[in-house]
Amino acid sequence: MMDAVVLLAFGLLALGMVGSVLPLLPSGLVSLAGVAVYWWQTGDPGALVLAALVALCVVATAVDWFGGALAGYAGGASTRTTVLAGVVGLLLLPLGGPIGIAIGVVGTIVVCEYRRHGDGEKSVRAALTASIGILASVLVQLLCTGVVFGALLLVHYV
């Protein structure tokens, strides 16, 4: 039987997975809170596994915040546009969550790349690549938070 604090930890881990696909819920940070609560209550997992779980939570958070901008770079946007898109996305995060990030990143890439090239097709292509990157980031977040959840289940029951 689990005590209430361990149940809280697993609740946070489950919420982190849901946050991967639900707007306004930072999946990596919620999962990190679940890992911290579990570790604080039980002293498990050991240092190496704990470091790996924390790293997965950080990766999920970074992908959530910067995945779209980096995909825009991969799609041909300049470094300057990519950095600006990342900043605009982060600034819009409190206003619209992941939707704010998506609108900020895609809109910034379209506008900046159009100003840079004067070519609407290149601008839209870079923005579409960013959109695909944003969707892919959801999958990466879900994978990271799911592995964290599963790993702590194994630690708890083995």
Side-chain angles (χ1 to χ4, degrees):
M1 179 132 179
M2 285 192 235
D3 67 32
V5 177
V6 171
L7 279 173
L8 171 65
F10 279 106
L12 287 168
L13 292 167
L15 189 60
M17 289 178 64
V18 170
S20 299
V21 294
L22 197 68
L24 298 176
L25 200 57
S27 63
L29 296 178
V30 173
S31 291
L32 182 60
V35 169
V37 168
Y38 186 85
W39 177 80
W40 175 71
Q41 180 66 13
T42 66
D44 285 327
L48 187 59
V49 173
L50 180 64
L53 297 178
V54 168
L56 282 171
C57 293
V58 169
V59 166
T61 301
V63 166
D64 185 17
W65 291 352
F66 301 110
L70 292 174
Y73 181 77
S78 70
T79 302
R80 179 175 175 228
T81 297
T82 302
V83 170
L84 185 58
V87 169
V88 170
L90 284 177
L91 290 174
L92 291 178
L93 175 66
L95 300 174
I99 294 169
I101 290 175
I103 291 170
V105 167
V106 171
T108 301
I109 290 172
V110 167
V111 170
C112 290
E113 288 303 298
Y114 185 77
R115 287 187 65 200
R116 183 172 147 217
H117 296 291
D119 184 345
E121 186 177 325
K122 277 185 177 180
S123 305
V124 170
R125 188 177 324 119
L128 285 175
T129 305
S131 299
I132 292 167
I134 291 168
L135 294 175
S137 77
V138 169
L139 296 176
V140 171
Q141 290 173 67
L142 188 57
L143 178 66
C144 289
T145 57
V147 168
V148 169
F149 186 89
L152 277 185
L153 275 177
L154 283 174
V155 165
H156 188 74
Y157 286 110
V158 172

